[in-house]
Amino acid sequence: MHTWLKNAIPNATGLLITEMVITGVILLVFLILLAFFLGYMERKVAAFMEIRLGPNRVGPKGTLQIVADTLKLLFKEGFTPDAADKFLFNLAPGIIITTALLAIAPVAFARDFQIWDINIGVLYISSVSSMAVIGILMAGWSSSNKYSLIGAMRSGAQIVSYELSIGLSLISIVILSGSLSLNDIVESQANGWWILKGHIPVVIAFVIFIIASTAEINRAPFDLVEADQELTGGFNTEYAGMKFAMFLMAEYINLFVVSAVAATIFLGGWMPFHLGNLTGFNHIMDFIPSSIWFFGKTFFIIFIIMQFRWTFPRLRIDQLLNLEWKYLLPISMVNVLLATLMAIMGWHF
Amino acid sequence: MLFEPDHYNEEGEFVVNMGPQHPSTHGVLRLKVWLDGETIKKVEPHLGYIHRSIEKMTESLSYRQFIYVTSRMDYLSAHINNQVCALVVEKALQVEVPARAQAIRVILAELTRISSHLLWFASIGLDLGGVTPFFYAFREREAINSLMDENCGARLTQNFMVPGGIMKDVLPNFQQRVKEVLKQFKDNYHEYDEILTGNVIFQNRLKGVGILTKEDAIAFGCTGPTARASGLNCDIRKLYPYDGYEKLQFDEITSTGGDCWARYEVRMAEMKQSVKIIEQLIDNIPEGEIVGNTKKVIKLPKGEFYQRVETARGELGVYIVSDGGTTPYRCKYRSPNFANLSAIPHIARGHKIGDLISIMATIDLIIPDIDR
Amino acid sequence: MTTEELKQVMTDLLPSSTFDETGEFLNVIIPSEELLPVMKTLRNREDLFFDYLFCLTCVDWKDHLMMVYFLNSRTHNHTIVIKAKITDTINPQIESLFSIWPTAELNEDEVFDLFGVKFLNHPNLRRLFLEEDWVGYPLRKNYEDEHMIEL
């Protein structure tokens, strides 16, 4: 496609802009559809957990329910409270959704299918996704609502703390694979995924990553920022209509991003299931398209995170911080040392 | 707006109104909460959002009518509320209630208790952020409600009592239906333990939170599971038996913890005791009359009458002052939730916002009963 | 303690108290000025030890208001009903029992709201159910309201 566009548009800058626009549009459409699908999936998973049917009226098997909901949110009044700081209030959903979209750039969806093969991919994702806290703080602060303010302050404490564990659990894989680029990390798993060949340190890192990233994206049982039953919605109490829908969409995109990162780093991303030197077996596995591998793994992790939400009650704020500072952080620190030792001694397969 | 003086006081404490429209106050309770960060400094309940002055209405209703207003007080134990009113009239008139009516009353009262505790179980999960238990508990509650619907004509506000007995006889398949409901409940009970009781997060949210000592429980007048979790023997069914509870075998569940977890355990165990009571009665409901001998127009003798029963939330007392006429001169309901509510400001102090939710969930307030 | 013994104790405690035994429990009628010392004795004396105030209300007898306190002892398991007669219906006043039983706080708020009895030394006397500017006290027998319907 690049060559075809090169012939059509001789100007290099024009070419770059056209390519960016095309990628952007494709990505946005894909992500909106993805958010729709995740919304539908969440309802079905919830219904599955709660011995009920879930949406089954609008469209075949209720698939269009989420479209109907989006339409409803679209036609609702984009209400801004009188006492709110209007500029920040309207800016906040934009910031949250932008950070969610930015984080998806270096993720490889299939073999050689990546928007931006940046050589510091892991670093980029962890730094961009931590910017979401600014949007949440902004939303909570500018709403001029006490519940929102408490929610925003909680999010500050929560996201900043759990950032550390996420970083440390990613670093253990970076040490093992010796690269920050997501593509290199995937390539390094050609003879087996890290979770299989990395022994216990990688398994620990994987579990910590799942827990910490659930907290990072404010999903139950770590949804203290929203906490409907305590703070009546927390930072997004005052939001309605499309602005609220943007928070919702950002939540689903974030869910997808962290699951995709977990799938890429620990489960080999688009890399098929390879076992050491069993060439025949590996060839059979190669017949399954790499995109199916990627999405299969990602949705498996999404499903796990959704199960958390519908099984566990919420933690209290001090318990949440205890969990991070007293358990996860020390464990991940020791874990990084173990992984380093393993990498130096070459103990992994 | 946040920085106007009435939103925080001189010490910089943050004043938040929880309710009257708040997802976990279960109705229109408004708690004014003084916060220091996340820590609760002071709680002050504000009431009256659903005040209907039932006590005033009762003064112009006859002794046959006033029973049914009480269904709207503690709507989850409507049947037991009716029972206390029927009992006070019977006590004043010294009417003998037929054994069949008593047995049916007790069965329905215990079913009401199970259904009320199930709703409590559902909502404690919901309040603490886990939605799934809600649907598990409502599955069984639905079966009980259908049974009530078939026999009493209503799912929630049964209005099945008349002074001297019950309004009409139960259906022929009553016994079989009750057994079905109990079987379903017993078969599914283990799921409650699996989804909530065994959950580590859930236990951590309740253990050591909101400790109510036995002395405080007495001083604040707490009754029901709330007080029994603090080690106070206050089951009216044992202390002052009515409607034949003295003939039944069941245990009064008490615990000594006094925290939210103890209250949780007491309620979970009480459901099993209710099942035990119904099982003793269901196969030997006596035959015979369902209403005792009462006149069409009831006149209570001049005097004062006090009767109490054990609802799902504690001791419900009704105090009737009669001047010898056809309507009560004064009627006072001593409601369990009102007394239990007064303990909340005391035990919530020093806890976090999230703990206030667990305290409210385990004390299980029904606001219409407080407001009356 | 039996009813007879309680009666003896109350006569010793307050010779001016009168008794009424129509109901289930022993009713003791005392003048409202004597309420606080009597209640303190009832709460604190070892052989009485009424630690549980389970019902607190008021009855409007048109010419006087009658405060009714249901007391029970959890240790001795005896019950007594103390009635305090307030003769001043225009500006009724009585001592608050909050210092003895904390449960009295909300109950007394309720009585203040619906009967207009002012409780002295109450920590936070307010209209519990009705608005602050509500005129009249609904449970009084002479209460009139434009919305009232005669049944």
Side-chain angles (χ1 to χ4, degrees):
Chain A
M1 201 168 86
H2 183 74
T3 24
W4 177 75
L5 274 175
K6 211 171 188 172
N7 294 336
I9 309 165
N11 182 342
T13 327
L15 177 70
L16 189 67
I17 290 170
T18 322
E19 276 188 344
M20 279 174 139
V21 167
I22 291 172
T23 325
V25 168
I26 291 173
L27 188 68
L28 275 179
V29 169
F30 167 72
L31 285 176
I32 288 170
L33 289 177
L34 187 84
F36 277 10
F37 178 74
L38 287 179
Y40 176 69
M41 177 174 162
E42 171 122 83
R43 285 167 181 225
K44 281 292 187 190
V45 170
F48 167 67
M49 293 292 293
E50 292 166 353
I51 43 171
R52 57 190 176 88
L53 291 173
N56 62 351
R57 285 283 181 273
V58 190
K61 299 250 174 209
T63 38
L64 295 180
Q65 180 66 49
I66 204 83
V67 181
D69 286 354
T70 315
L71 278 177
K72 186 203 83 175
L73 283 172
L74 265 176
F75 288 120
K76 272 186 125 176
E77 185 188 350
F79 179 76
T80 308
D82 220 21
D85 186 332
K86 297 201 175 45
F87 176 67
L88 292 182
F89 185 83
N90 292 322
L91 187 65
I95 286 190
I96 289 178
I97 206 154
T98 313
T99 53
L101 291 173
L102 278 176
I104 214 160
V107 175
F109 292 99
R111 196 188 291 273
D112 302 329
F113 192 89
Q114 197 175 10
I115 296 163
W116 188 21
D117 185 12
I118 180 173
N119 59 358
I120 49 160
V122 174
L123 198 61
Y124 172 83
I125 287 179
S126 62
S127 51
V128 162
S129 64
S130 63
M131 269 162 57
V133 68
I134 298 173
I136 293 179
L137 273 173
M138 211 182 252
W141 179 260
S142 65
S143 296
S144 181
N145 177 318
K146 292 179 205 171
Y147 288 124
S148 305
L149 188 63
I150 297 173
M153 290 304 146
R154 281 180 175 187
S155 90
Q158 176 183 339
I159 296 181
V160 170
S161 336
Y162 278 84
E163 199 64 42
L164 297 166
S165 289
I166 291 193
L168 285 175
S169 56
L170 289 178
I171 279 175
S172 60
I173 296 296
V174 171
I175 289 168
L176 287 171
S177 64
S179 169
L180 278 168
S181 156
L182 285 179
N183 225 358
D184 289 352
I185 291 177
V186 174
E187 291 295 348
S188 72
Q189 308 184 52
N191 57 346
W193 305 341
W194 276 120
I195 195 151
L196 297 175
K197 66 177 183 174
H199 294 307
I200 293 164
V202 176
V203 177
I204 295 174
F206 178 68
V207 172
I208 288 178
F209 182 82
I210 294 289
I211 295 174
S213 57
T214 314
E216 172 91 5
I217 57 176
N218 301 323
R219 279 182 69 87
F222 306 102
D223 61 342
L224 282 109
V225 175
E226 282 177 43
D228 314 24
Q229 289 86 4
E230 291 162 30
L231 303 179
T232 66
F235 72 99
N236 60 26
T237 307
E238 296 288 345
Y239 284 87
M242 213 45 220
K243 282 179 231 159
F244 177 72
M246 277 161 91
F247 282 123
L248 217 61
M249 214 170 108
E251 185 189 328
Y252 285 122
I253 293 173
N254 275 327
L255 175 63
F256 178 77
V257 170
V258 296
S259 307
V261 170
T264 309
I265 295 202
F266 297 97
L267 304 179
W270 50 261
M271 189 60 76
F273 184 62
H274 286 174
L275 265 183
N277 300 319
L278 300 174
T279 330
F281 178 76
N282 290 351
H283 272 302
I284 294 168
M285 283 295 162
D286 282 340
F287 277 113
I288 303 172
S290 57
S291 61
I292 290 189
W293 278 109
F294 174 77
F295 283 105
K297 291 166 189 173
T298 307
F299 278 102
F300 171 69
I301 291 169
I302 290 176
F303 182 71
I304 291 178
I305 294 181
M306 280 182 179
Q307 291 252 330
F308 286 169
R309 172 161 180 182
W310 301 108
T311 322
F312 293 137
R314 180 182 305 118
L315 276 83
R316 204 169 60 213
I317 182 77
D318 56 329
Q319 291 170 348
L320 178 97
L321 297 178
N322 277 350
L323 175 71
E324 163 63 19
W325 294 101
K326 290 191 183 160
Y327 301 100
L328 293 187
L329 192 61
I331 292 174
S332 3
M333 280 174 168
V334 174
N335 198 39
V336 169
L337 285 179
L338 278 178
T340 319
L341 191 67
M342 233 171 66
I344 294 170
M345 309 297 277
W347 281 344
H348 59 85
F349 299 113
Chain B
M1 174 190 136
L2 274 172
F3 308 103
E4 285 165 17
D6 55 324
H7 293 281
Y8 62 95
N9 59 11
E10 307 81 59
E11 287 98 49
E13 288 162 354
F14 211 43
V15 186
V16 173
N17 278 311
M18 275 203 165
Q21 283 94 24
H22 189 276
S24 54
T25 54
H26 297 227
V28 283
L29 174 66
R30 175 175 148 221
L31 292 177
K32 205 171 173 186
V33 185
W34 280 260
L35 294 172
D36 177 12
E38 286 258 348
T39 313
I40 292 164
K41 291 289 221 189
K42 186 179 158 196
V43 181
E44 189 181 278
H46 286 249
L47 304 168
Y49 292 92
I50 192 164
H51 183 65
R52 294 145 296 177
S53 211
I54 284 180
E55 289 172 10
K56 183 79 177 174
M57 279 157 72
T58 307
E59 285 175 16
S60 53
L61 293 174
S62 80
Y63 288 110
R64 283 195 184 279
Q65 291 168 327
F66 90 115
I67 294 176
Y68 308 119
V69 189
T70 59
S71 297
R72 277 79 186 169
M73 279 167 36
D74 184 350
Y75 49 85
L76 291 178
S77 2
H79 190 84
I80 310 177
N81 291 359
N82 295 165
Q83 199 176 2
V84 71
C85 296
L87 282 167
V88 74
V89 175
E90 285 151 16
K91 187 188 231 173
L93 296 175
Q94 292 170 338
V95 177
E96 196 68 28
V97 183
R100 183 175 174 80
Q102 280 192 343
I104 292 172
R105 272 185 184 184
V106 170
I107 291 173
L108 291 175
E110 293 306 318
L111 280 174
T112 309
R113 196 183 314 277
I114 295 176
S115 127
S116 166
H117 281 348
L118 279 173
L119 191 120
W120 158 81
F121 174 83
S123 62
I124 191 173
L126 204 59
D127 286 348
L128 298 184
V131 186
T132 310
F134 187 83
F135 292 89
Y136 283 57
F138 262 61
R139 177 183 49 184
E140 272 72 66
R141 198 176 126 77
E142 180 62 31
I144 295 175
N145 278 350
S146 315
L147 177 81
M148 292 289 185
D149 188 16
E150 287 162 23
N151 286 287
C152 313
R155 287 160 59 86
L156 202 61
T157 50
Q158 284 97 358
N159 301 343
F160 198 51
M161 298 281 177
V162 289
I166 51 175
M167 196 174 267
K168 67 190 210 7
D169 211 345
V170 288
L171 297 178
N173 67 351
F174 178 68
Q175 282 164 313
Q176 184 214 335
R177 288 280 290 119
V178 171
K179 280 179 193 161
E180 277 171 26
V181 168
L182 288 190
K183 186 175 181 306
Q184 187 190 344
F185 176 77
K186 283 196 287 188
D187 287 350
N188 290 332
Y189 187 84
H190 69 99
E191 290 185 0
Y192 303 151
D193 286 345
E194 284 158 19
I195 187 91
L196 216 49
T197 317
N199 192 310
V200 181
I201 298 177
F202 183 70
Q203 292 186 3
N204 282 336
R205 282 295 302 273
L206 298 188
K207 279 183 181 163
V209 170
I211 294 174
L212 181 72
T213 59
K214 189 175 172 182
E215 289 70 39
D216 282 344
I218 296 173
F220 283 107
C222 296
T223 46
T226 310
R228 284 198 285 280
S230 307
L232 184 65
N233 290 314
C234 59
D235 197 329
I236 305 298
R237 294 174 293 175
K238 287 274 186 199
L239 291 175
Y240 311 99
Y242 54 93
D243 268 349
Y245 271 112
E246 64 275 10
K247 287 175 256 166
L248 299 166
Q249 301 292 318
F250 64 98
D251 300 329
E252 178 177 358
I253 310 289
T254 52
S255 174
T256 47
D259 56 353
C260 291
W261 179 248
R263 293 193 275 274
Y264 175 83
E265 283 188 323
V266 166
R267 282 206 171 82
M268 293 303 279
E270 266 188 17
M271 288 199 263
K272 282 182 176 165
Q273 292 301 320
S274 295
V275 172
K276 201 172 153 190
I277 292 173
I278 301 172
E279 277 174 344
Q280 289 171 42
L281 279 172
I282 191 67
D283 280 324
N284 28 30
I285 303 177
E287 292 299 319
E289 289 287 306
I290 53 160
V291 189
N293 191 14
T294 48
K295 286 183 191 146
K296 266 228 169 64
V297 177
I298 296 172
K299 278 187 183 172
L300 254 55
K302 199 164 190 270
E304 294 168 11
F305 309 97
Y306 189 83
Q307 173 65 41
R308 41 193 161 184
V309 292
E310 179 77 15
T311 73
R313 277 160 200 78
E315 171 186 337
L316 173 69
V318 56
Y319 171 60
I320 285 194
V321 181
S322 165
D323 57 353
T326 53
T327 59
Y329 183 76
R330 165 92 175 98
C331 176
K332 153 86 182 168
Y333 295 105
R334 181 255 182 243
S335 78
N337 294 306
F338 193 78
N340 291 351
L341 169 76
S342 63
I344 287 187
H346 177 70
I347 60 178
R349 204 172 299 138
H351 283 302
K352 303 272 185 290
I353 302 174
D355 292 331
L356 181 63
I357 307 297
S358 16
I359 290 169
M360 278 201 288
T362 47
I363 285 187
D364 192 19
L365 298 173
I366 296 294
I367 313 306
D369 193 31
I370 297 171
D371 274 2
R372 278 162 288 143
Chain C
M1 225 179 251
T2 60
T3 313
E4 284 308 311
E5 284 167 348
L6 279 176
K7 206 166 163 180
Q8 189 57 48
V9 166
M10 284 308 294
T11 329
D12 295 347
L13 202 62
L14 192 72
S16 60
S17 56
T18 49
F19 300 99
D20 165 22
E21 282 180 84
T22 49
E24 185 181 350
F25 314 117
L26 175 69
N27 291 289
V28 187
I29 302 167
I30 59 170
S32 62
E33 301 79 39
E34 302 289 339
L35 181 77
L36 201 60
V38 169
M39 287 303 206
K40 271 195 176 136
T41 319
L42 287 178
R43 169 70 177 80
N44 294 328
R45 233 174 81 176
E46 276 302 316
D47 57 333
L48 298 169
F49 207 66
F50 286 99
D51 51 359
Y52 179 42
L53 171 72
F54 66 92
C55 189
L56 188 162
T57 188
C58 183
V59 183
D60 179 14
W61 289 104
K62 291 188 181 120
D63 57 337
H64 65 272
L65 290 168
M66 190 73 97
M67 288 296 299
V68 187
Y69 302 91
F70 286 76
L71 301 177
N72 177 276
S73 168
R74 280 292 175 200
T75 34
H76 306 302
N77 200 20
H78 46 221
T79 309
I80 195 170
V81 182
I82 303 288
K83 294 186 177 176
K85 191 171 177 179
I86 309 175
T87 40
D88 181 5
T89 53
I90 311 295
N91 190 17
Q93 280 186 344
I94 196 163
E95 278 289 329
S96 165
L97 297 182
F98 173 72
S99 53
I100 309 173
W101 294 281
T103 182
E105 183 188 354
L106 284 183
N107 278 300
E108 287 177 345
D109 276 343
E110 185 189 353
V111 171
F112 169 69
D113 192 359
L114 304 176
F115 286 94
V117 179
K118 285 201 181 57
F119 291 89
L120 308 170
N121 301 324
H122 187 281
N124 184 14
L125 197 62
R126 61 198 162 109
R127 299 208 78 151
L128 193 61
F129 297 132
L130 306 175
E131 289 123 62
E132 290 294 327
D133 52 355
W134 192 274
V135 182
Y137 301 103
L139 282 181
R140 292 273 195 100
K141 291 289 173 187
N142 58 1
Y143 177 74
E144 287 294 332
D145 191 323
E146 61 196 291
H147 306 295
M148 274 170 82
I149 305 160
E150 203 55 50
L151 285 174

